[in-house]
């Protein structure tokens, strides 16, 4: 059966993967309300397409932190990709590079920053968890810099791990043949068996709960790399991020894996964009599965989007070829959405191209031009 959209990879991954692994990738926190909402919220945004515009040439290119990419669709950090496929992060890195876009490597990758760099050229960001031992953090950031990574995506929504009940039921732990490669030499690469989720125990033992805005400033003293703050969903925190010197914001609820009943990221996006006042770019992470979703995010002010689960599911299904296909399908759908909406460049995508169910009733009929 030919795969015609990104969503179809999830069922294939579910068939192929051990239950513990599939559940780890697929699940959200507690009732998984936000997990559903991250997707469902997109359906409450409708298009106002403009017609009779010459769309024979469409330019999807953009720059992110000064780096030119082929499209505003990037790869989010997802942990432990070798659980999905033996080539893991290597395959993802090659696929992202081939697509001309950015890959973000997770701190908890099953391949190291050096190994991923060895796959060849490509623009790569490094997602960072702050460990209690700051020497570990400083060492990791230096290694990422040396390996040619171009930015740090600092995850700020995980002082503790969210309650992911399938991981508790499955007694989730990293399979014995794998390690968290970035920490291998530091005796932090293995996850102990636990009587609930092995990852939750690992986080409780290693990740720093005291993390605060002053640490964002500390990070800037140990690296020249730009810092993206990942996990902002309110205007208040968007303003704090700007003040703290962040180079950008990633609106994210951690794939709905941390605090349940937070809004979908597409709903939180506009509030964050307004608070950032154009001073720094704002990106969206969470729930994007279609080119139409990408367009909606850009119409609400995002500078680009990140996809996470589609990458691991397609990786599980078809390895590097699967990830390439996901990026290609997303690209083609987005290009088609632009054409059918009457937009030939990203800057032509405006708030007037969409109407949301939270717009005022009169605005739903005739937006201010």
């Amino acid at each position: 059966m030919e795969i015609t959209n990104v969503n179809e990879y999830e069922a294939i991954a579910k068939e192929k993967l051990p239950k513990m692994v599939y559940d780890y990738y697929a699940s959200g926190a507690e009732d998984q309300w936000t997990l559903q909402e991250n997707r469902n919220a997109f359906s409450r945004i409708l298009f106002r397409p403009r017609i009779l515009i010459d769309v024979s040439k469409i330019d999807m290119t953009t720059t992110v932190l000064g780096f030119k990419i082929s499209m505003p669709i990037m790869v989010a950090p997802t942990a432990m990709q070798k659980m999905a496929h033996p080539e893991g992060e290597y395959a993802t890195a090659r696929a992202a590079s081939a697509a001309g876009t950015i890959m973000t490597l997770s701190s908890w990758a099953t391949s190291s920053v050096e190994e991923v760099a060895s796959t060849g050229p490509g623009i790569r960001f490094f997602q960072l968890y702050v460990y209690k031992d700051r020497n570990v953090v400083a060492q990791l950031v230096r290694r990422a810099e040396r390996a040619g990574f171009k930015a740090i995506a600092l995850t700020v929504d995980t002082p503790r791990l969210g309650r992911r009940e399938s991981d508790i039921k499955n007694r989730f732990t990293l399979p014995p043949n794998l390690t968290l490669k970035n920490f291998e030499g530091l005796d932090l690469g293995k996850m102990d068996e636990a009587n609930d989720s092995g990852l939750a125990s690992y986080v409780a033992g290693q990740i720093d709960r005291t993390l605060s805005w002053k640490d964002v400033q500390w990070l800037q003293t140990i690296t020249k790399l730009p810092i993206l703050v990942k996990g902002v969903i309110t205007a208040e925190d968007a303003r704090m991020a700007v003040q703290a010197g962040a180079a950008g914001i990633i609106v994210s609820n951690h794939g709905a894996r941390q605090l349940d009943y937070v809004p979908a990221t597409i709903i939180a996006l506009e509030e964050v964009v307004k608070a950032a006042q154009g001073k720094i770019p704002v990106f969206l992470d969470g729930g994007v599965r279609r080119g139409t979703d990408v367009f909606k995010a850009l119409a609400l002010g995002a500078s680009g989007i990140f996809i996470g689960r589609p990458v691991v599911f397609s990786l599980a299904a078809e390895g590097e070829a699967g990830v390439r296909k996901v990026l290609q399908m997303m690209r083609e759908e987005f290009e088609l959405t632009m054409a059918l909406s009457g937009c030939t460049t990203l800057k032509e995508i405006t708030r007037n191209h969409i109407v949301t169910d939270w717009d005022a009733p009169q605005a739903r009929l005739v937006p201010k031009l």
Side-chain angles (χ1 to χ4, degrees), residues 247-258:
I249 288 168
I250 302 173
V251 174
S252 170
N253 52 34
H254 210 117
R257 294 157 74 79
Q258 283 299 102

Side-chain angles (χ1 to χ4, degrees), residues 86-127:
E87 291 181 17
E89 294 84 1
Y90 288 76
T92 303
R94 289 191 294 257
S97 180
T101 194
I102 291 164
M103 173 197 181
T104 316
L105 182 70
S106 169
S107 272
W108 295 338
T110 38
S111 313
S112 67
V113 287
E114 294 84 4
E115 288 172 333
V116 169
S118 78
T119 62
I123 304 156
R124 303 187 184 101
F125 293 173
F126 181 70
Q127 176 272 334

Side-chain angles (χ1 to χ4, degrees), residues 182-222:
N182 286 315
F183 300 97
E184 204 174 31
L186 301 161
D187 276 347
L188 296 168
K190 278 290 182 198
M191 211 171 283
D192 299 325
E193 302 277 335
N195 56 9
D196 53 0
S197 155
L199 185 62
S201 302
Y202 180 85
V203 168
Q206 302 301 336
I207 302 303
D208 194 345
R209 294 184 187 184
T210 73
L211 190 68
S212 71
W213 287 107
K214 65 178 188 300
D215 297 294
V216 179
Q217 285 157 328
W218 167 75
L219 209 50
Q220 292 168 72
T221 68
I222 67 160

Side-chain angles (χ1 to χ4, degrees), residues 187-363:
D187 276 347
L188 296 168
K190 278 290 182 198
M191 211 171 283
D192 299 325
E193 302 277 335
N195 56 9
D196 53 0
S197 155
L199 185 62
S201 302
Y202 180 85
V203 168
Q206 302 301 336
I207 302 303
D208 194 345
R209 294 184 187 184
T210 73
L211 190 68
S212 71
W213 287 107
K214 65 178 188 300
D215 297 294
V216 179
Q217 285 157 328
W218 167 75
L219 209 50
Q220 292 168 72
T221 68
I222 67 160
T223 181
K224 298 259 193 295
L225 294 180
I227 294 159
L228 297 170
V229 178
K230 179 174 183 281
V232 172
I233 50 174
T234 64
E236 295 90 324
D237 284 333
R239 286 190 284 268
M240 298 282 280
V242 171
Q243 278 168 8
I249 288 168
I250 302 173
V251 174
S252 170
N253 52 34
H254 210 117
R257 294 157 74 79
Q258 283 299 102
L259 181 61
D260 201 13
Y261 298 99
V262 294
T265 48
I266 193 69
I267 302 285
L269 176 62
E270 201 164 24
E271 170 180 331
V272 173
V273 166
K274 283 175 177 163
Q277 296 181 314
K279 292 172 185 165
I280 58 175
V282 175
F283 304 95
L284 176 101
D285 167 64
V288 175
R289 301 292 179 270
R290 285 275 188 191
T292 48
D293 300 336
V294 180
F295 187 102
K296 289 170 185 181
L298 268 61
L300 286 167
S303 293
I305 65 91
F306 288 88
I307 48 170
R309 286 186 183 89
V311 170
V312 286
F313 292 147
S314 59
L315 182 65
E318 295 174 355
E320 182 184 336
V323 182
R324 281 181 184 239
K325 182 144 191 213
V326 156
L327 291 168
Q328 185 61 25
M329 284 190 294
M330 293 285 297
R331 180 190 174 84
E332 287 170 1
E333 286 182 17
F334 177 53
E335 183 175 25
L336 182 60
T337 306
M338 283 180 70
L340 296 179
S341 297
C343 299
T344 63
T345 64
L346 302 190
K347 67 172 191 298
E348 289 175 10
I349 301 173
T350 68
R351 186 63 167 80
N352 287 333
H353 284 96
I354 57 165
V355 59
T356 71
D357 72 352
W358 58 91
D359 289 330
Q362 63 275 25

